Amino acid sequence: QKEYAMVREWNALLEKQRGGAPTIKLLVGSKVDDPTAIRDQAAIEDTETACGTWPFISVSAKTGHGIDELKQAMAEAIDWDEIAKTSRPALFQRIRDQIESVRKLGAVSLSLSELREQVRAAAPEDYDDAAVPFVVGQLSRQGVIVDTCRANGQRELVLKLAEIERYAGSLILMARQARSQTGIGVPAIEESALMPSELVLPRIAESQRLPREQERIVLECVVQLLIERGICLAHGGLLVFPSLYPQGECQSIDGTDSVSLYYDFIGPSDALYAQLTARAAMSARFGRVRLSAGRAEFGQRESGGLCGVQYQARGQGRGHIDIYFCPETPVTTRQLFRAFVEDFLKEHGVDVREVVELRCQECPHVFAEADVRGRIESGKASIFCPDGHPTPIDAAFKDARANNPELIDRLAALKTDVDRRTASAAHNASRTISAAPASASTAGTSKPATGHVLRLLHLSDLHFSASIDPAQMLHPLVADLTDREWLELEKLDYLVVSGDCTCIGSAAEFERVHEFLESLVKQ
């Protein structure tokens, strides 16, 4: 039953993404090596009906069972008379053919400058320098290649998409393993540990790895894509994967308002939650992010308010997201956060059903949504439970965009800033990989390479107060560490911080500590 549920979930996503375009769907059971095995015919027929597919075909590539039948079904499904013949301009075809010929020679990547020279040499009379990047952009959008910019500014074309998938899958698995190995449940990997020769890549044997320089290019591209697509976020020298945190049940959270908004939607829910979290974290507008099981919180209650997101997958391609705030969060921040979440979900083409949930502040009563919306539409500031207890209705949950051009402008500015910060984070991660020495120690272990002297920086009793400027503490330390005549340091392997980090342990003091350590790690 699990497999059939997954088929229906995939179908729900397909129906949403295809936007009404006519689609022919075949239901195929693969790896069916024993054609006499008992199968759940009722479940198959229910799935065919629910998904609108052609009759089920069981196949086995190992034995050849059903392959001819599948070929025949595919041939019958295609309306060959309606297939339009396409033609391409000669230069477009020449560039594409050149890329394909380089790919067939076994190359994993090709720089844009090399492609230009090869096309110019092959047909100098038809060559148009401006056309090459245009065609490359089209091929990238078609999924033929991946067009990326390396840390050194060189535009590089990754020709073998299977390598992108292979290495991306390995990095995601590495983060998943780190979640259990670290003991603190954090699915993250270090940026600086992604390119040493001793790096162990899960499910990629040493004999299957690319030559080191090609691998470096692929890893740069993969990390850029993971950050740009919101699959992970760059945070303090780490790549953190929000969707790999274990899911938790959506529940009431102590210290937050009695009002919350939640959204039930159809779409690739895990990916959407990760992307939403990554973009909100990248903005820095809502404060520093803290991730836990199925939850992302931004900012702090003690220093100007908190915005939070809870997520839960509901199966069948459905997801559920709550947003909540603490009482100290300003109304303007609440409105912007709500607009940011709603705009993100709608931009990604998901069907969103927004629900307002309001609980009485004095008793367990939960108000009917229709009653809450009625009070909102009539401009009332509060609502009363059956026992007469008044509960205020937060202004943040009134749709402010229709009558607030300023909020629309703030949202547009925020999205622009997120795009800029995301591109910068992707470039910085790529630069870290590009600069990583091939002899660095193995990621995730404390074992140094043979003959390597371990360099450890120990800081103790920082005693930060809220008024201390982290830069004033950082600059003298960095100056000492980079004094080659005195320390002769090429790199540091570990940072250890002990003793009292703050004076009285306030949130503002810990924020200064975090700024100092984050800046030190980057340096």
Side-chain angles (χ1 to χ4, degrees):
Q1 292 299 324
K2 179 181 179 182
E3 288 77 7
Y4 296 113
M6 291 174 65
V7 170
R8 295 190 185 201
E9 181 174 337
W10 185 90
N11 184 68
L13 301 181
L14 172 65
E15 289 298 316
K16 178 59 191 173
Q17 295 301 317
R18 71 188 183 94
T23 305
I24 299 171
K25 292 175 283 187
L26 278 69
L27 184 63
V28 182
S30 63
K31 302 180 182 178
V32 184
D33 300 330
D34 181 5
T36 65
I38 298 175
R39 64 188 189 188
D40 191 338
Q41 190 61 34
I44 291 174
E45 292 175 359
D46 288 345
T47 305
E48 290 172 351
T49 302
C51 300
T53 71
W54 282 37
F56 176 77
I57 303 171
S58 63
V59 302
S60 168
K62 180 179 179 180
T63 66
H65 165 71
I67 297 298
D68 290 339
E69 184 182 358
L70 176 59
K71 288 180 181 179
Q72 182 64 29
M74 293 174 66
E76 292 176 0
I78 297 173
D79 188 348
W80 298 96
D81 294 332
E82 291 297 320
I83 296 179
K85 294 183 179 180
T86 59
S87 61
R88 300 185 182 92
L91 182 58
F92 182 102
Q93 188 62 49
R94 187 170 288 116
I95 295 171
R96 185 179 182 119
D97 289 345
Q98 183 60 35
I99 289 175
E100 188 60 30
S101 66
V102 174
R103 192 203 318 263
K104 288 181 177 178
L105 291 173
V108 174
S109 65
L110 176 68
S111 71
L112 183 63
S113 59
E114 289 174 325
L115 177 62
R116 279 184 161 131
E117 290 302 317
Q118 292 172 4
V119 175
R120 181 188 289 113
E125 67 283 357
D126 296 332
Y127 182 75
D128 181 355
D129 195 65
V132 177
F134 174 75
V135 173
V136 163
Q138 283 193 322
L139 294 176
S140 179
R141 287 189 291 274
Q142 293 173 10
V144 177
I145 60 174
V146 174
D147 181 13
T148 186
C149 184
R150 296 196 63 190
N152 59 9
Q154 176 175 286
R155 194 165 166 185
E156 195 83 22
L157 316 178
V158 180
L159 309 180
K160 294 188 176 182
L161 303 191
E163 298 298 343
I164 297 290
E165 296 172 358
R166 198 161 65 101
Y167 277 82
S170 183
L171 294 191
I172 292 172
L173 183 57
M174 185 186 299
R176 190 188 302 276
Q177 292 174 346
R179 189 185 75 192
S180 57
Q181 291 171 353
T182 58
I184 55 176
V186 178
I189 52 182
E190 293 185 41
E191 293 177 8
S192 60
L194 287 179
M195 200 46 211
S197 59
E198 298 90 349
L199 176 63
V200 177
L201 291 164
R203 293 187 183 171
I204 301 181
E206 184 64 30
S207 60
Q208 298 173 333
R209 289 174 64 170
L210 297 171
R212 289 298 180 258
E213 188 52 37
Q214 291 185 6
E215 185 176 74
R216 190 187 296 266
I217 293 171
V218 169
L219 280 169
E220 282 190 52
C221 179
V222 165
V223 169
Q224 287 185 46
L225 289 172
L226 291 175
I227 294 174
E228 290 169 355
R229 304 292 171 86
I231 297 173
C232 71
L233 61 95
H235 183 74
L238 299 174
L239 300 178
V240 185
F241 293 75
S243 64
L244 296 185
Y245 278 84
Q247 286 191 25
E249 291 290 330
C250 291
Q251 54 189 315
S252 300
I253 301 171
D254 293 339
T256 61
D257 288 343
S258 57
V259 186
S260 68
L261 269 176
Y262 68 84
Y263 305 88
D264 290 321
F265 60 90
I266 297 175
S269 54
D270 285 0
L272 281 174
Y273 167 69
Q275 292 169 11
L276 172 61
T277 300
R279 286 188 65 80
M282 198 61 68
S283 73
R285 170 62 180 80
F286 304 113
R288 199 177 308 284
V289 64
R290 291 180 303 283
L291 298 171
S292 58
R295 185 183 304 171
E297 291 187 345
F298 305 88
Q300 294 180 336
R301 292 179 175 86
E302 299 85 351
S303 55
L306 174 144
C307 304
V309 174
Q310 279 196 110
Y311 160 73
Q312 188 177 28
R314 294 287 171 86
Q316 300 291 318
R318 301 178 184 276
H320 175 94
I321 282 180
D322 283 288
I323 62 173
Y324 58 90
F325 308 99
C326 73
E328 294 78 14
T329 308
V331 170
T332 54
T333 302
R334 299 169 185 236
Q335 291 176 336
L336 183 60
F337 190 75
R338 172 191 174 181
F340 182 82
V341 172
E342 291 178 351
D343 185 79
F344 172 86
L345 293 175
K346 292 174 182 176
E347 269 192 356
H348 285 73
V350 299
D351 288 326
V352 176
R353 186 173 73 89
E354 175 191 273
V355 182
V356 178
E357 183 177 274
L358 181 61
R359 305 180 305 277
C360 178
Q361 292 183 331
E362 303 293 333
C363 68
H365 180 73
V366 178
F367 297 95
E369 184 187 9
D371 294 340
V372 177
R373 289 197 179 276
R375 299 287 288 183
I376 290 175
E377 291 171 3
S378 62
K380 304 299 183 181
S382 60
I383 189 171
F384 295 85
C385 75
D387 292 335
H389 303 136
T391 297
I393 299 174
D394 193 333
F397 296 100
K398 303 172 184 178
D399 192 352
R401 279 179 289 183
N403 302 312
N404 191 347
E406 181 183 351
L407 178 59
I408 296 174
D409 291 342
R410 287 168 59 211
L411 178 61
L414 176 62
K415 291 165 64 178
T416 300
D417 186 53
V418 168
D419 290 339
R420 179 184 62 81
R421 288 174 175 271
T422 300
S424 176
H427 176 75
N428 290 338
S430 176
R431 186 172 59 186
T432 299
I433 295 171
S434 178
S439 60
S441 60
T442 304
T445 73
S446 59
K447 181 181 177 181
T450 303
H452 175 62
V453 176
L454 206 62
R455 302 290 189 181
L456 184 148
L457 174 62
H458 180 200
L459 304 178
S460 186
D461 294 288
L462 297 176
H463 287 289
F464 266 88
S465 68
S467 61
I468 290 181
D469 181 0
Q472 293 179 348
M473 298 278 282
L474 178 67
H475 292 160
L477 175 60
V478 171
D480 287 343
L481 293 173
T482 55
D483 186 339
R484 299 298 173 85
E485 293 183 3
W486 180 43
L487 291 178
E488 298 181 352
L489 287 178
E490 293 296 331
K491 67 185 291 288
L492 287 168
D493 297 286
Y494 292 95
L495 169 65
V496 176
V497 183
S498 63
D500 294 330
C501 292
T502 67
C503 292
I504 61 173
S506 69
E509 290 178 341
F510 276 110
E511 189 68 18
R512 301 291 86 75
V513 174
H514 192 290
E515 292 174 16
F516 169 75
L517 294 178
E518 187 174 48
S519 298
L520 178 59
V521 168
K522 287 181 180 179
Q523 290 280 359

